[in-house]
Structure formats: C-alpha cells, structure tokens
Amino acid sequence: MIKGTTKLLGVIGHPVEHSLSPAMHNAAISHLGVDFVYLPFPVKPGDLKAALAGFAAIGVRGFSITIPHKQAILPLLSEVSPIARSIGAVNTVYLTDKGWCGTNTDVEGFLAPLHTPPTPPYQGGAKDAISPLERGNTALESCPPPYQGGARGGSDWSQKVAVILGNGGAARAVVAGCAQLGCAEIHVVGRSEQNLAEFQQSWVNSPMPVHNLQVHTWDNLSRLISQADLLVNTTPVGMYPQREKSPVAAGALDRISAGAIVYDLIYNPNPTQFLKDAKLRGARAIDGLEMLVQQGAAALKIWLDKESVPVDVMRQALRQHLGLD
C-alpha cells in the first residue's frame, strides 16, 4: 500500500510506457515488505535537468535510465563511476552526500548468467534489516566500485575467446564484462570500419582500458565463430516482431564449437531464432531476460542498501508479464 511515508524510486525515459522495470522492481519491493514504490516517469530530452532538480525536491531516492537519457545525463551528475564512464552511459542513479551519483549495472547484469556455479536462490524476506534510505539517510558514500576482474565463481576465462556482434552501446557493456572476466581475446564485429576503429580507440583511452580488443568487419564472422568460446549478440536483429531473423546465417553458425556459450541480449521473443539455432548445434544458450533481471537487481541493491534482493521473484514477474509461463 502506498502511504505518505512511501519512498519513491522510478525509471526515466522518453517514451517510458514500454518499460518492464516497474513490474520486476515492484514485485521485489512487495516481497521484501519495504516502504518503497517504483514508478515510470516520462521525461522529454529537454526536461532532463529540470527533472533531476524536481526529483531531489520531492525526495526521489534513485532511478533507472533508459533511452534517450543514458548519455545525456552524464554532465548533470555530481559523480560518475569508472564503469559508467568506460561504457559512456549511465543506467542507474542514486543520491549521495555530494548529489546524484550515476553508475551502470549492465556489466553486472551481463556477467551474472556466466557465474559458475550459479548464484544460489535468494533466501531473504520481509524481515531483512531496514536500509539507510528507509531511515532517511540518503548520503551513500560513493559510487559502488566496479568488479575488479578475474574469473567469477571459479571459472577460468583466461584462455577463452569472446566474439561480440555489434558495436553500439550494448556492446560496450559486454566488452567491459568480457574484460572483467579476463578473456584472452575480445573480438567485436561491425559493419563500418570507421566506427569500429573509433570503438577500439575509445577503449585505449578509457578509465578502464581494454588492450586485448580486436575489431573486424562482418565478412570475418565465420572464421571468428570457429574460435569463439563466447558468442554474444548485441544487435537488434531477431527482436520482436522479427521473430524469424537471426544476426548469423545458419551456415556460419555451423562453425560454433559444441559447448560454447551463445548469448543473445534480446529477451523478446524468448528464445530468439539465433538461440534456437545455437542450441541445435550443441551450444549453451543464454537469453537477455536474465541480464535484464540481474541489472535491475544490482540497482535495487544500491537503492535499498541490501546485500541480497529476491532475484527469483523479479524473474518470475517478468516471465509472467511477457507470457512465458
């Protein structure tokens, strides 16, 4: 129940009506029994600065960011985490003693399904400790530090090759994630040689440099797929309503090694044609729904100052919303 004491969280974007974040966050908030609500806030590009001032004035405790504000908000923040600067985008904002702090939880979301062994299910409940935000303390000390690299969960990625399809904003989060895993080689495939060269150079000058990154045009894809231990699609090809499309021709995907991980950031349809084709060839398939859930869970931990949030509840809420159950 929303009361006069209820603290506000939300998501900003334009448009924002399509966002799935309210469904998963409010499910988690209800499960935890904390006095918060998560709302969609439509904010036009020209109103972004005014919206930040308004949020501070009415006591909004934190918010997610979607298109078109992920880059535009950077100069308006008091503090930006190194991982967000490296990616060049912010997707999560919360209040500190210095003002609004921005970070990016997409890397953590991307990495979560690659943990070995899997993260155990959440065991908490409504009686978890009250967070500093609930007590009225909005002065979180600083942006959370990025993951510092190395193999997660016991997996050794130091001899593994990652191949990333696309060189847009989503690919930047995946490159950062692969670098933090410690991949031996990271290959990015795109269509424009100029854009690829700029993409590569941006990582050399990044706050978190990536020196084992190579870029390639699409005609090199078949050769790269045969080397890939991890193949990630960051392009929109195959997204609803184009259910039958795949970013990789079936003939090229024939070269994937059995047991390789094929990861599609798209979550609708579920699974995509790309993942269907990969599974037929013996690959392990990961869809984008888990990244969506896990990046949201990482943000909710920041806002509520909790070590654990009910990821399983968030996942189930999204699956029901998408008609997958």
Side-chain angles (χ1 to χ4, degrees):
M1 178 185 296
I2 298 176
K3 302 173 290 187
T5 57
T6 301
K7 286 81 175 176
L8 299 179
L9 301 169
V11 55
I12 65 170
H14 185 72
V16 77
E17 293 83 0
H18 66 286
S19 176
L20 301 182
S21 294
M24 68 174 176
H25 283 301
N26 284 317
I29 287 167
S30 176
H31 181 87
L32 288 168
V34 293
D35 193 14
F36 281 79
V37 67
Y38 186 102
L39 302 170
F41 296 109
V43 176
K44 296 178 181 178
D47 295 336
L48 183 56
K49 186 174 182 179
L52 288 185
F55 283 174
I58 64 173
V60 171
R61 302 307 177 92
F63 53 94
S64 309
I65 306 173
T66 187
I67 295 171
H69 303 310
K70 286 188 172 186
Q71 292 81 35
I73 200 167
L74 283 163
L76 302 178
L77 300 171
S78 301
E79 195 172 358
V80 178
S81 70
I83 194 69
R85 289 204 180 279
S86 296
I87 297 171
V90 165
N91 78 336
T92 301
V93 173
Y94 64 98
L95 208 56
T96 74
D97 55 349
K98 297 178 182 178
W100 292 116
C101 176
T103 190
N104 195 304
T105 64
D106 283 336
V107 175
E108 187 169 347
F110 167 72
L111 289 173
L114 300 175
H115 292 186
T116 305
T119 302
Y122 172 76
Q123 299 297 325
K127 293 185 179 180
D128 282 21
I130 298 174
S131 78
L133 290 183
E134 289 182 89
R135 293 193 298 266
N137 178 9
T138 60
L140 302 182
E141 290 186 0
S142 63
C143 287
Y147 175 60
Q148 295 300 318
R152 289 184 168 231
S155 296
D156 181 9
W157 289 82
S158 63
Q159 303 300 315
K160 295 187 178 181
V161 175
V163 176
I164 301 165
L165 309 179
N167 59 302
R172 297 190 66 83
V174 173
V175 166
C178 290
Q180 291 180 14
L181 283 172
C183 292
E185 300 176 22
I186 303 172
H187 301 272
V188 170
V189 182
R191 303 201 178 277
S192 166
E193 290 186 3
Q194 180 178 344
N195 290 346
L196 285 166
E198 292 173 356
F199 184 94
Q200 185 173 32
Q201 186 60 41
S202 72
W203 286 101
V204 175
N205 301 326
S206 167
M208 300 175 65
V210 178
H211 297 297
N212 59 339
L213 172 66
Q214 301 177 49
V215 296
H216 311 266
T217 52
W218 216 254
D219 52 352
N220 292 294
L221 181 58
S222 291
R223 173 180 61 83
L224 292 169
I225 284 178
S226 67
Q227 304 171 22
D229 299 291
L230 174 64
L231 176 62
V232 186
N233 176 41
T234 72
T235 78
V237 178
M239 185 181 295
Y240 178 86
Q242 299 177 328
R243 294 176 176 271
E244 306 303 319
K245 292 191 175 182
S246 170
V248 179
L253 201 56
D254 285 338
R255 306 191 67 173
I256 195 73
S257 299
I261 298 172
V262 177
Y263 196 147
D264 199 336
L265 301 195
I266 295 170
Y267 56 82
N268 187 16
N270 189 306
T272 59
Q273 188 63 47
F274 177 52
L275 292 185
K276 290 178 184 178
D277 292 344
K279 289 180 71 175
L280 288 174
R281 289 157 177 80
R284 174 189 167 196
I286 300 175
D287 64 69
L289 186 66
E290 192 64 15
M291 178 175 173
L292 178 64
V293 171
Q294 296 287 350
Q295 64 79 29
L300 196 60
K301 289 176 188 177
I302 294 171
W303 296 324
L304 301 185
D305 191 30
K306 290 184 179 292
E307 292 185 3
S308 297
V309 294
V311 176
D312 50 342
V313 172
M314 299 172 76
R315 183 186 302 111
Q316 185 64 24
L318 285 185
R319 291 187 62 83
Q320 290 178 351
H321 191 83
L322 292 168
L324 298 176
D325 289 330

